[in-house]
Amino acid sequence: MLRYFFSRLLSLGLSLIVASLAIFFVIEIIPGDPASFMLGLNASPEAVAALKAELGLTGSPISRYFSWVGGLFFGDLGISYTYRTPVSELVLDRIKVSLPLAIYALVLSTAIAFPVGILSATKRGRFLDYSVMGATQMGIAVPNFWFAMLLVLFFAIWLGWFPAGGFSGWKQGFYPAIKSLTLPAIALALTQASILARVMRSALIEVLDQDYIRTARAKGLSQRRVVIRHALRNALIPVLTILGLQFSFLLAGAIIIENVFFLPGLGRLIFQGITQRDLIVVESVVMLLVFTVIMVNFCVDIAYAIVDPRLRKKR
C-alpha cells in the first residue's frame, strides 16, 4: 500500500510541475509583455514600466517562474491589478461560495444517481429501465444554463420560493445562504446526476453478470442482499472516477451557472479577471483550481486501492 501511495504521490508532483509550466507559459510568455497586454495598446511606456515593476515582471522568465511558484508554495498568489488586493484574499472570499456550491451539487447528484442507477440495473430490460435511461439521456442533453433559467422562472419568479440570484452571505445565517445556493446546485446537479446514474447502471450490470454473484444467488440470498453486500462495492470503482471528475468540474467549471445566478464564486472571478485583463488573478486562480483537480484525482486513486485490494498487490 505504501508503494502504491508514493507512486501516486510522485505522479501528483510531476503533474503539478507540468501544469505550472503550462499555465505560466500560456499566460505570461505567449502574450509577449503581460504589462502591455493588461494596459492596452494606448498605454504609455512609463505606465507599462511602472506596472512591470509593480507586478515583478522585470526579471527573466525563469526567475519570474520560480518566484511565482515559490509564492504559491507559501500562499502568496500575488496582487490583483484590478482590485489592488492580494489574490489570496479574493480566493478566500470567493471559495466560501464555490466550495459549498460544489459540495451541495455533488451531494444532490449522488443522492439522485445512486438509487436511480441501482434501480435501473436491477430492472434492466424492463419499462422502468428504459424510462430511467431516457430521462438521464434528456438530463445530459439539456444545457444547464437553460435549465437554470427555467428554475429561476418557475421557483423564483412564479412561486417565489427561492431568490432569483445573488448570495446572501453566511453572516446572514445558514438557511438563507443555502437557500441562495439551492437553485444553482440543482442546475449543476442535473447533468452530473444523469451521467453518474448511467455509469452506476453500467458498472452494476457488469458486476451482476459475474460468477460469484450467481453463486450468491444460488445460496438463496435475496436480490437486495446480493446487490448491496456483494455487487455494489465492486461496481463503485468506475463510479469513484466519475465522482472525482464531477467534483473538479463543479468547483472549477461552474462559470456559466455562477454568472446566471450572479454568484461571487471562483468561476465568476476567473471570468472577471479575463474580461478585465487581470492576468495575475487568472494565473493564480487557474493554478489553484488545477491543483484542486489533481489532488482530487490523487484521492480517487487512493480510494481505488481501499475499495479494490488488487490494486495494492499490483504495485
Side-chain angles (χ1 to χ4, degrees):
M1 181 65 181
L2 285 177
R3 187 176 179 183
Y4 177 81
F5 175 81
F6 284 113
S7 67
R8 305 315 303 165
L9 191 63
L10 178 61
S11 176
L12 181 147
L14 293 175
S15 300
L16 287 176
I17 292 173
V18 172
S20 65
L21 287 170
I23 293 171
F24 181 82
F25 180 78
V26 169
I27 293 181
E28 290 205 18
I29 303 300
I30 289 182
D33 187 352
S36 299
F37 178 79
M38 294 167 70
L39 292 176
L41 298 176
N42 297 323
S44 65
E46 294 78 11
V48 172
L51 181 60
K52 290 177 67 174
E54 179 183 352
L55 300 179
L57 301 176
T58 55
S60 65
I62 296 177
S63 64
R64 283 158 45 197
Y65 170 76
F66 283 105
S67 176
W68 174 60
V69 171
L72 292 176
F73 185 78
F74 291 103
D76 182 10
L77 305 182
I79 304 296
S80 168
Y81 168 72
T82 303
Y83 299 98
R84 298 294 177 178
T85 57
V87 178
S88 57
E89 294 183 6
L90 295 175
V91 170
L92 289 176
D93 187 54
R94 303 300 181 97
I95 199 69
K96 296 176 183 178
V97 178
S98 293
L99 184 59
L101 176 61
I103 295 174
Y104 194 2
L106 188 66
V107 169
L108 288 177
S109 66
T110 305
I112 296 171
F114 269 55
V116 168
I118 294 172
L119 182 63
S120 183
T122 55
K123 304 293 183 181
R124 59 175 168 169
R126 302 180 185 178
F127 176 76
L128 181 61
D129 180 29
Y130 293 133
S131 300
V132 168
M133 288 301 98
T136 57
Q137 188 64 47
M138 183 174 294
I140 296 172
V142 172
N144 57 9
F145 66 88
W146 182 78
F147 183 60
M149 290 187 287
L150 290 182
L151 291 175
V152 170
L153 182 64
F154 186 74
F155 290 102
I157 297 177
W158 286 358
L159 298 178
W161 291 355
F162 299 96
F167 183 66
S168 62
W170 296 105
K171 294 182 179 179
Q172 301 297 323
F174 180 79
Y175 178 71
I178 289 296
K179 194 175 180 180
S180 301
L181 297 178
T182 296
L183 292 185
I186 294 175
L188 286 171
L190 173 68
T191 302
Q192 309 307 318
S194 301
I195 295 172
L196 191 60
R198 296 178 72 89
V199 173
M200 184 77 248
R201 174 186 179 274
S202 300
L204 194 56
I205 286 177
E206 183 178 353
V207 172
L208 288 174
D209 288 334
Q210 299 297 319
D211 291 337
Y212 74 93
I213 296 296
R214 286 192 286 269
T215 302
R217 286 171 174 162
K219 290 181 178 180
L221 296 180
S222 64
Q223 175 74 353
R224 179 179 179 181
R225 195 168 184 180
V226 168
V227 172
I228 300 299
R229 291 195 58 182
H230 297 278
L232 189 57
R233 180 171 180 176
N234 290 325
L236 284 178
I237 295 176
V239 175
L240 287 174
T241 304
I242 301 301
L243 281 174
L245 293 174
Q246 285 188 347
F247 180 76
S248 303
F249 167 78
L250 291 171
L251 184 60
I255 297 177
I256 296 177
I257 294 299
E258 288 185 0
N259 278 277
V260 169
F261 288 96
F262 301 100
L263 295 176
L266 289 177
R268 188 168 174 83
L269 178 63
I270 294 176
F271 178 78
Q272 291 171 339
I274 294 172
T275 56
Q276 296 166 351
R277 298 183 177 182
D278 198 339
L279 298 184
I280 302 299
V281 170
V282 177
E283 183 181 45
S284 298
V285 177
V286 168
M287 186 61 213
L288 179 64
L289 294 177
V290 168
F291 172 76
T292 303
V293 171
I294 294 174
M295 279 299 301
V296 168
N297 290 333
F298 172 75
C299 294
V300 169
D301 288 339
I302 300 303
Y304 280 168
I306 296 174
V307 173
D308 190 353
R310 294 173 297 178
L311 293 176
R312 300 197 294 265
K313 296 177 181 179
K314 289 181 181 179
R315 302 298 178 106

